[in-house]
Amino acid sequence: MQDIIKSALNSVQQEAVLYNEGPSLVIAGAGSGKTRVLTYKIAYLLHIGLPASSILALTFTNKAAREMKERIAQMVGHKLARQLWMGTFHSIFSRIIRAEAALLGYTPQFTIYDTSDAKSLLKSIVKELGLNDKEYKTGVLQHRISYAKNNLLSVQAYRTNTALLESDRNAKVPRLNEVYALYVGRCKAANAMDFDDLLYYTNVLFRDFPEIVEKYKQFFQFILVDEYQDTNFAQHLIVKRLAENHHKLSVVGDDAQSIYSFRGANIDNILNLKSSYPELKVFKLEQNYRSTQHIVNAANSLIEKNKGQIRKRVYSENEAGEKITVHQVYSDYDEGFTVANAIESIQENRNFNAFAVLYRTNAQSRVLEEALRKKNIPYRIYGGLSFYQRKEIKDVLAYLRLVINPNDEEALKRIINVPARGIGDSTVNKVLACARLHEQSAWTVLSDMLSYNLPVNAGTMLKLSKFKELLAPFHEKVYELNAYDLAFAVVKASGLIADAQKDTSPENLSRVDNIEELLKAINEFCSLRNEEEGITVYLPEFLTEVSLLSDQDQQNEADTERVTLMTVHASKGLEFSHVFVVGMEEELFPSARTMYSERELEEERRLFYVAITRAKVTCHVSYAKSRFRNGKQNFCNPSRFINDIDSQFIQLAQANSTSPSFNREPFHTTVERNFYAQRTTATPKVEPYQPPKKLTKISPASSAGTISFSGDFVEGAVVEHAIFGRGVIDALSGSANDLRATVQFESVGKKNLLLKYAKLSLVNK
């Protein structure tokens, strides 16, 4: 095994793999082969005799866990690899919670609420409490409750935390503690947990039940964690508790790629790991195998400006490659076409999956999409509506959830009248109110409506009874039929497919196709597990798998021949031959919200570092002189982060070879460099608005019918438009109020403009 390791890994990677005497931290620079270290380390642990079932390997996506397990299986065999406890934090600890659910007052069949379920429940609570939904927005409530759970604050602890209560008052949500209490209670009554609960209740188990934590401490003899810089307090504490006896822990991460503080990630977990483990041994993976030398060196010169970091010097032995190309454009509209033109000029045999366009906010995608469509360049939005978030799929899943867990109130509310069966909102509200009054679940009320005095007429009661009778027979079959057979029977009985088939419109036919695709996915899941492990897979296992999918897990990898558009946050862990980072302007990137905090500003710089290091061959960065934001066109300054990159690794973009040649303004002026070099958290200087130069006066048409212009406003003149940028007048036509100019713009091509509206300005040559 050691010979294989020596032939496959560099010297530092080998040291990291072979050291297993105590805790270790592998600081892995971008593209440095951290996944190889993790997979070989696990294979080596198995080689030296550690039982597979005693190895706990934690990741942040199912995709990462699946890929590592497949690589390990190639080295040690599938049978051994299957015994590893390898998966995401949420998937691994959901297994533990299901095994110990009774101690927490749950049953093993508890439902896992996704974001939309949680928001639906919060919306109901806000309405029930009579709160203003404009102030008590579900997104805000969800974020603050998530913060509390990730910091292990119970409802009681929250109510006594004066700082949090004051923060809620300042945020104009003073009754949030009541919402939190009701939310927790409703989840418990519905036998449901949200994502944060999976970590919160694991900590409760390990805190309140010493025999439980001791059992798992002894069970897991070696713990490995990927992307440790992304761990929050709850995750860090779980790992610390499990490893506190033996200290057999190996974590891998890169503090320079810590970009998820808005999700609760705490960079201090990796920066201060030595305080928890004084004997910690640190290995630095500094060779980047992904990118060219210029890209790596540019990224280094950027990130070295951060104070809070573990110092390392990443290097590349790949070819030098091109410098970072900086594009100054005139507007966000112009930026879209600049990117599209650049992609078109590179192309790589129309292998569009080699390209990614990264932006700070989702709202930036619209103008980019428009430009790509006009150029007939195929694209996809990464992180768009996933398969499992489509309405018809969520409807089917709600039926399946209710079969497994009849107390799942959110599932019941979703499908009690889908397909339509004459049960309106008023009736549903009466059922829920009755359930609250008697402190029972809605399903319990439906099971004995007369005893609970449900205030509905006989006709409505009959409709409710039929709904209950539709699903009741399936409850006893959850562990009799395999997942596919049960799902198929439930879908058939629900009438969802029959309802969709009544209308042969393309939209409804697509709904049918999607439902059939879901059944196919369940069948494949059952077949694969049966083939690999020889076991029968039941429906709860499939639903758990689906509920824990991350954004990256839900992407369609088969659809590859498209340019990828995504936020920088979504790009982490991915790589592309050619990367375009757009919108590099002050108050956009870095975000205006971060510019008064050095800690937050450093995270924004790390975010830009992540963007640059996604690129293998070329990296393009663009900023606009004006951008349409908040309902108006705003003049912009280039991001300070561009100036953080050493100028020797930057080249300024040349005008498109198919467009007229223009004299661009220089990108880095001495004044700009000095200004941004002196400021890291101050408000950027915004240059005052300068109205465009007025059109030169147009003289009346001559008797010959031609148009005469005074000054330089003639064919061949260079002009500037607030949106389209610079262009050259090709032709002039019309007269009086219908004067028109055909202008060949540098980035967006030819436009025919009515001069009285176009607001063109002349540009000095």
Side-chain angles (χ1 to χ4, degrees):
M1 185 69 186
Q2 290 195 19
D3 290 339
I4 296 174
I5 290 172
K6 288 180 180 178
S7 63
L9 306 176
N10 65 34
S11 58
V12 182
Q13 290 173 332
Q14 290 174 41
E15 290 178 34
V17 166
L18 297 176
Y19 178 78
N20 298 300
E21 284 71 47
S24 65
L25 166 62
V26 180
I27 291 295
S32 62
K34 70 179 179 63
T35 304
R36 290 174 68 83
V37 169
L38 278 171
T39 53
Y40 276 91
K41 191 176 191 73
I42 293 171
Y44 181 69
L45 290 171
L46 294 171
H47 172 72
I48 62 177
L50 206 63
S53 60
S54 71
I55 297 174
L56 173 63
L58 299 166
T59 67
F60 276 83
T61 67
N62 290 297
K63 178 183 175 183
R66 186 170 58 250
E67 289 176 353
M68 279 198 287
K69 190 174 285 190
E70 288 172 357
R71 295 186 193 182
I72 293 166
Q74 291 172 4
M75 290 187 274
V76 302
H78 288 278
K79 184 177 180 181
L80 201 55
R82 282 196 298 268
Q83 298 174 42
L84 295 165
W85 279 66
M86 177 179 284
T88 64
F89 277 89
H90 293 89
S91 65
I92 291 295
F93 295 114
S94 70
R95 288 173 63 183
I96 291 175
I97 290 177
R98 286 195 192 279
E100 316 293 347
L103 295 173
L104 298 167
Y106 281 84
T107 75
Q109 290 76 38
F110 66 81
T111 298
I112 300 174
Y113 278 174
D114 66 11
T115 301
S116 62
D117 295 320
K119 285 185 174 180
S120 175
L121 176 54
L122 287 168
K123 186 177 180 181
S124 298
I125 291 171
V126 166
K127 185 176 181 180
E128 183 180 330
L129 292 175
L131 302 174
N132 185 343
D133 60 6
K134 298 293 188 296
E135 294 177 350
Y136 287 81
K137 296 178 180 178
T138 55
V140 172
L141 300 177
Q142 190 176 38
H143 176 76
R144 295 175 87 87
I145 290 172
S146 176
Y147 172 86
K149 290 183 179 180
N150 285 328
N151 285 279
L152 307 181
L153 291 169
S154 66
V155 170
Q156 186 58 35
Y158 197 101
R159 283 173 169 165
T160 57
N161 189 308
T162 55
L164 281 175
L165 296 179
E166 179 65 22
S167 175
D168 289 344
R169 284 192 289 272
N170 292 337
K172 297 183 179 178
V173 286
R175 296 179 65 186
L176 190 139
N177 64 96
E178 295 177 56
V179 176
Y180 184 19
L182 266 178
Y183 178 78
V184 170
R186 292 287 161 76
C187 285
K188 197 80 173 279
N191 195 34
M193 294 187 187
D194 63 22
F195 288 161
D196 297 315
D197 284 329
L198 298 175
L199 302 179
Y200 176 85
Y201 282 117
T202 300
N203 275 290
V204 170
L205 270 176
F206 290 173
R207 181 196 67 197
D208 296 349
F209 301 95
E211 71 281 6
I212 297 299
V213 69
E214 194 59 38
K215 176 173 72 172
Y216 289 104
K217 281 181 186 177
Q218 294 180 17
F219 187 76
F220 296 123
Q221 298 177 35
F222 205 103
I223 302 168
L224 304 100
V225 187
D226 191 15
E227 306 286 10
Y228 203 75
Q229 77 282 348
D230 293 336
T231 55
N232 59 30
F233 175 68
Q235 291 163 328
H236 174 71
L237 191 56
I238 290 170
V239 172
K240 187 176 180 181
R241 279 177 168 151
L242 289 174
E244 66 184 350
N245 290 350
H246 53 63
H247 283 203
K248 292 297 180 70
L249 170 72
S250 180
V251 307
V252 178
D254 182 5
D255 56 290
Q257 297 187 66
S258 180
I259 60 173
Y260 293 124
S261 65
F262 67 97
R263 293 181 184 172
N266 187 349
I267 191 174
D268 294 334
N269 290 345
I270 194 168
L271 293 181
N272 301 329
L273 194 63
K274 200 171 184 67
S275 63
S276 298
Y277 306 97
E279 74 276 35
L280 184 76
K281 192 168 178 64
V282 179
F283 301 90
K284 295 181 180 180
L285 305 185
E286 297 175 305
Q287 182 173 356
N288 180 303
Y289 293 94
R290 174 189 300 156
S291 308
T292 62
Q293 292 179 29
H294 276 311
I295 290 173
V296 170
N297 291 336
N300 283 343
S301 68
L302 167 75
I303 203 63
E304 70 181 10
K305 307 301 188 298
N306 273 9
K307 296 178 182 177
Q309 63 172 296
I310 299 172
R311 296 285 172 181
K312 58 184 176 298
R313 188 68 185 177
V314 181
Y315 66 94
S316 171
E317 293 184 353
N318 297 334
E319 63 181 357
E322 296 181 17
K323 297 180 179 181
I324 304 290
T325 302
V326 175
H327 302 261
Q328 173 190 270
V329 297
Y330 295 93
S331 66
D332 45 351
Y333 190 89
D334 185 21
E335 183 175 52
F337 282 91
T338 298
V339 170
N341 287 340
I343 292 173
E344 195 173 49
S345 67
I346 301 171
Q347 267 197 36
E348 282 201 352
N349 299 318
R350 300 190 69 79
N351 182 22
F352 288 115
N353 65 309
F355 296 86
V357 185
L358 310 181
Y359 35 79
R360 182 64 181 81
T361 65
N362 281 305
Q364 292 171 253
S365 73
R366 187 191 62 78
V367 291
L368 296 163
E369 291 181 68
E370 182 179 339
L372 293 172
R373 281 198 301 269
K374 288 184 177 179
K375 289 284 185 179
N376 292 318
I377 296 174
Y379 68 89
R380 65 168 181 168
I381 302 290
Y382 192 103
L385 189 65
S386 74
F387 177 79
Y388 289 102
Q389 291 299 314
R390 291 172 179 161
K391 180 187 180 302
E392 60 273 15
I393 299 304
K394 288 186 73 69
D395 289 342
V396 173
L397 293 176
Y399 270 98
L400 302 182
R401 282 165 47 181
L402 204 56
V403 164
I404 295 168
N405 175 18
N407 293 328
D408 187 341
E409 189 174 288
E410 292 306 310
L412 184 143
K413 283 160 54 180
R414 183 178 185 93
I415 50 89
I416 194 169
N417 197 42
V418 178
R421 48 178 61 93
I423 302 173
D425 290 344
S426 176
T427 299
V428 174
N429 290 335
K430 288 177 182 178
V431 173
L432 296 177
C434 189
R436 305 277 182 270
L437 178 65
H438 296 283
E439 297 184 344
Q440 298 291 337
S441 71
W443 186 264
T444 301
V445 170
L446 292 180
S447 301
D448 196 354
M449 290 178 277
L450 290 174
S451 295
Y452 288 104
N453 295 316
L454 184 65
V456 296
N457 60 38
T460 301
M461 194 170 290
L462 179 61
K463 292 172 184 175
L464 292 170
S465 294
K466 286 184 177 179
F467 170 71
K468 178 189 170 294
E469 291 165 4
L470 172 71
L471 293 176
F474 296 113
H475 296 321
E476 297 177 357
K477 297 180 180 179
V478 171
Y479 291 104
E480 290 180 9
L481 300 176
N482 71 26
Y484 172 74
D485 290 339
L486 181 57
F488 182 85
V490 173
V491 168
K492 185 177 180 181
S494 72
L496 288 171
I497 289 182
D499 182 65
Q501 288 175 332
K502 290 177 183 176
D503 183 351
T504 57
S505 67
E507 183 183 72
N508 276 342
L509 292 177
S510 175
R511 286 168 53 199
V512 174
D513 289 343
N514 287 336
I515 293 172
E516 291 178 347
E517 184 64 25
L518 174 62
L519 291 172
K520 178 184 174 185
I522 298 173
N523 190 41
E524 289 175 350
F525 182 77
C526 291
S527 299
L528 184 63
R529 292 287 297 277
N530 184 264
E531 181 181 327
E532 289 184 348
E533 302 174 38
I535 61 172
T536 300
V537 179
Y538 297 110
L539 196 54
E541 294 175 69
F542 176 78
L543 289 187
T544 297
E545 181 87 1
V546 169
S547 66
L548 295 173
L549 291 175
S550 69
D551 294 342
Q552 286 194 18
D553 296 322
Q554 297 185 41
Q555 298 305 315
N556 181 3
E557 296 180 6
D559 185 13
T560 56
E561 290 304 312
R562 295 174 182 273
V563 173
T564 299
L565 274 60
M566 63 170 70
T567 63
V568 183
H569 281 102
S571 74
K572 186 168 167 292
L574 304 177
E575 59 182 42
F576 302 88
S577 295
H578 309 285
V579 168
F580 294 79
V581 189
V582 300
M584 289 304 304
E585 297 133 31
E586 290 288 291
E587 299 191 5
L588 180 56
F589 201 168
S591 166
R593 295 189 302 272
T594 68
M595 295 171 65
Y596 300 96
S597 163
E598 184 173 1
R599 185 181 177 92
E600 292 181 6
L601 197 61
E602 289 202 349
E603 178 160 329
E604 288 285 293
R605 188 177 285 110
R606 292 195 296 269
L607 189 60
F608 187 32
Y609 175 85
V610 166
I612 292 173
T613 55
R614 299 312 93 201
K616 295 193 288 185
V617 181
T618 68
C619 181
H620 297 253
V621 173
S622 61
Y623 71 94
K625 294 172 68 177
S626 69
R627 184 173 297 275
F628 193 84
R629 297 181 70 193
N630 302 319
K632 62 181 180 179
Q633 200 76 20
N634 295 282
F635 283 80
C636 310
N637 284 320
S639 170
R640 67 189 69 194
F641 295 153
I642 303 178
N643 290 290
D644 283 342
I645 301 174
D646 194 309
S647 60
Q648 66 178 306
F649 306 123
I650 284 180
Q651 61 184 359
L652 304 186
Q654 299 299 312
N656 192 307
S657 60
T658 61
S659 303
S661 177
F662 304 114
N663 294 320
R664 287 182 171 273
E665 296 178 13
F667 165 64
H668 282 306
T669 64
T670 304
V671 174
E672 281 178 331
R673 262 202 183 281
N674 290 340
F675 174 77
Y676 288 112
Q678 293 170 12
R679 290 164 171 77
T680 56
T681 59
T683 305
K685 180 181 178 183
V686 179
E687 295 183 9
Y689 171 71
Q690 296 291 337
K693 298 176 185 177
K694 293 182 178 179
L695 290 175
T696 305
K697 184 177 179 181
I698 302 172
S699 58
S702 68
S703 58
T706 59
I707 302 173
S708 173
F709 293 84
S710 62
D712 293 327
F713 205 82
V714 294
E715 292 181 5
V718 179
V719 293
E720 183 171 335
H721 186 276
I723 302 296
F724 304 140
R726 289 190 184 181
V728 170
I729 297 176
D730 274 0
L732 300 164
S733 61
S735 60
N737 285 331
D738 192 35
L739 292 168
R740 295 177 179 272
T742 300
V743 183
Q744 177 69 42
F745 287 101
E746 178 181 357
S747 296
V748 302
K750 191 172 291 186
K751 297 285 182 182
N752 191 6
L753 305 175
L754 189 61
L755 292 183
K756 66 179 180 180
Y757 297 127
K759 296 183 180 178
L760 290 174
S761 58
L762 291 169
V763 176
N764 293 326
K765 295 183 179 180

